[in-house]
Each structure stands twice: as structure tokens, then as C-alpha cells.
């Protein structure tokens, strides 16, 4: 495989998405060391952090009478209500302590606006507001992106779909992702939609 001008995008490998965290993803910590082991293959390594203010609209605690995992519609945008997670500056928002941050060229923080969520590292959930990641990638003449991280069926999925839509050759390293799988079979459904979009699915063995 040719990694010429390609970027690895490491999505949300943060304490709150790992076992013991506020929105723990099963096996989230298992991907840390293999992700470290592939970083040096890529021209650029970009990491993202979910980075929410305390009054963020995605927190169930900010909606009277609502429970965790309820779905609501706010300003015409569907929103799953999550336990409070990745509060900016908190330990839960920090990268997993074993993740090799020294190799990051860029860190993108998303979901910082209290009134809008951002699963994708490219566009907020209004599908309009840009995070700046597209500009960085184009400025660096990067044509191909490889994705790994958390969660397969949320932030990895939406980032991959936007990357493909923007015209970048997009590959998901599936065994370096872990998902929420909520609702049931959401991971499988997300993978099928990504494949339908022309996104390539590989495993780490195809990189090492
Ligand atoms: C994520 C739910 C809420 C993710 C972020 O990183 O996949 N999921 N916020
Ligand atoms: Zn979030």
C-alpha cells in the first residue's frame, strides 16, 4: 500500500470513550497501542477530540425530563442525548494516557458550540459549519485519509462519510475502531453505508 501523501486521522481516543469513562466504548483502550504502531507510516497524523462545554445540547442532563439515549430534534437536527462526556479541560476529555501524542501534527477539537453537536471532524451536525480540517488537508495536498478510533458508528462514521463526500480517497482501519452499537446493529449498518459510499475497509495487517 502506498502511503505517499496520506493522513491518518485518529478519532476521539479520549478517556471518556474508554473503559471507566463517562461514555465508555467496549474495548476502546485496546486500539491505543496498535494505533501508535502505525503513526510513522503516514505523511501527517491528525487527532481529534470531542470537546464540549458543560451546557452542551448533547448532554441528557441539560434537558429536563429526558433520559440518556433518548433522541430529540433540536432546530430540525436529530440529536441523541448522551451522558455528559468530554467536558473541555476535564480528564475525561484528555487523550488516553498511552496514546502517542508526540506524533500529532494537528489536533482538531469539535463540538465546542453549546448549541450544536459535531460527530464529524469536518462538518458540524448542521452539515454546514466547517471545523477547518478540510482546509488543512487541502493546504497540505493530502489526497487520501485513513481513519481509526472511536466510535465506529458515530464519529468515525460521520467523519468518513464527509471525507468521501469531499472527494478524498477514504479508508477505515476497522480493527482499530470500536463502536457504541446503539441502537442494536448500528455498527454493521454504519459499515454497510460506508462501503456503499465507496469507502474502503481494511485491517491493520494491510498496513504493517
Ligand atoms: C461520540 C457520541 C457523542 C464519538 C461523540 O466520538 O463517536 N459519540 N459524542
Ligand atoms: Zn460528544
Amino acid at each position: 500500500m502506498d502511503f505517499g501523501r496520506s493522513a491518518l486521522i485518529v478519532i476521539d481516543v479520549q478517556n471518556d470513550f474508554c473503559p471507566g469513562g463517562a461514555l465508555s466504548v467496549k474495548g476502546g483502550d485496546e486500539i491505543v497501542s496498535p494505533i501508535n504502531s502505525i503513526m510513522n507510516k503516514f505523511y501527517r497524523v491528525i487527532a481529534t477530540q470531542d470537546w464540549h462545554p458543560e451546557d452542551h445540547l448533547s448532554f441528557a442532563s441539560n434537558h429536563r425530563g429526558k433520559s440518556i439515549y433518548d433522541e430529540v430534534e433540536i432546530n430540525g437536527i436529530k440529536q441523541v442525548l448522551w451522558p455528559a462526556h468530554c467536558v473541555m479541560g476535564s480528564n475525561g476529555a484528555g487523550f488516553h494516557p498511552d496514546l502517542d501524542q508526540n506524533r500529532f501534527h494537528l489536533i482538531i477539537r469539535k463540538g465546542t458550540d453549546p448549541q450544536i453537536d459535531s460527530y464529524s471532524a469536518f462538518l458540524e451536525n448542521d452539515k454546514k459549519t466547517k471545523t477547518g480540517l478540510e482546509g488543512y488537508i487541502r493546504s497540505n495536498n493530502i489526497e487520501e485519509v485513513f481513519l481509526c478510533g472511536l466510535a465506529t458508528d458515530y464519529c468515525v462514521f460521520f467523519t468518513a462519510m464527509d471525507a468521501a463526500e469531499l472527494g478524498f480517497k477514504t479508508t477505515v482501519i476497522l480493527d482499530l475502531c470500536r463502536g457504541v452499537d446503539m441502537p442494536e446493529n448500528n455498527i454493521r449498518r454504519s459499515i454497510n453505508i460506508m462501503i456503499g459510499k465507496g469507502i474502503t475497509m481494511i485491517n491493520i495487517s494491510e498496513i504493517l
Side-chain angles (χ1 to χ4, degrees), residues 61-81:
S61 49
N62 290 328
H63 300 264
R64 204 180 304 261
K66 295 287 178 191
S67 310
I68 288 167
Y69 307 130
D70 282 353
E71 196 178 273
V72 296
E73 196 168 309
I74 303 163
N75 304 324
I77 301 171
K78 283 209 174 88
Q79 177 69 55
V80 178
L81 299 181

Side-chain angles (χ1 to χ4, degrees), residues 12 17 23 50-52 56 58-59 82 85-86 110-111 117-119 155:
D12 297 1
F17 296 124
L23 180 35
D50 213 34
W51 198 256
H52 300 312
H56 196 248
S58 77
F59 299 171
W82 304 103
H85 63 280
C86 297
K110 60 185 179 59
D117 207 358
S118 188
Y119 293 144
C155 290

Side-chain angles (χ1 to χ4, degrees), residues 5-207:
R5 273 186 108 76
S6 62
L8 177 68
I9 308 180
V10 181
I11 307 279
D12 297 1
V13 180
Q14 293 167 268
N15 292 320
D16 269 344
F17 296 124
C18 290
L23 180 35
S24 145
V25 177
K26 198 165 162 246
D29 55 341
E30 297 166 1
I31 63 175
V32 174
S33 140
I35 289 174
N36 288 340
S37 75
I38 62 167
M39 287 183 187
N40 63 1
K41 304 270 181 193
F42 298 87
Y43 172 63
R44 289 288 184 269
V45 180
I46 299 161
T48 69
Q49 280 175 300
D50 213 34
W51 198 256
H52 300 312
E54 275 179 31
D55 58 347
H56 196 248
L57 91 167
S58 77
F59 299 171
S61 49
N62 290 328
H63 300 264
R64 204 180 304 261
K66 295 287 178 191
S67 310
I68 288 167
Y69 307 130
D70 282 353
E71 196 178 273
V72 296
E73 196 168 309
I74 303 163
N75 304 324
I77 301 171
K78 283 209 174 88
Q79 177 69 55
V80 178
L81 299 181
W82 304 103
H85 63 280
C86 297
V87 172
M88 41 177 68
S90 68
N91 182 61
F95 289 112
H96 186 287
D98 296 334
L99 190 66
D100 187 359
Q101 298 183 44
N102 294 329
R103 290 189 185 277
F104 298 163
H105 296 98
L106 176 73
I107 297 172
I108 288 277
R109 289 174 167 169
K110 60 185 179 59
T112 58
D113 181 334
Q115 291 302 324
I116 185 155
D117 207 358
S118 188
Y119 293 144
S120 162
F122 288 98
L123 293 176
E124 299 189 352
N125 288 5
D126 62 1
K127 304 286 180 202
K128 286 197 280 272
T129 311
K130 295 181 175 192
T131 62
L133 181 55
E134 179 192 359
Y136 177 86
I137 290 178
R138 292 204 197 280
S139 306
N140 283 279
N141 297 316
I142 292 163
E143 287 161 3
E144 179 163 18
V145 296
F146 290 77
L147 274 67
C148 60
L150 309 170
T152 319
D153 45 341
Y154 286 92
C155 290
V156 174
F157 170 75
F158 284 97
T159 301
M161 293 296 285
D162 281 350
E165 183 67 30
L166 290 166
F168 304 122
K169 184 172 177 347
T170 305
T171 299
V172 173
I173 311 163
L174 256 190
D175 56 351
L176 298 189
C177 298
R178 293 291 185 276
V180 176
D181 217 21
M182 220 218 36
E184 206 180 321
N185 292 320
N186 203 36
I187 295 176
R188 192 67 252 173
R189 189 160 43 242
S190 303
I191 292 170
N192 289 339
I193 296 170
M194 289 190 278
I195 292 170
K197 184 83 180 168
I199 296 165
T200 306
M201 301 291 148
I202 64 166
N203 285 322
I204 188 175
S205 61
E206 293 171 67
I207 291 178

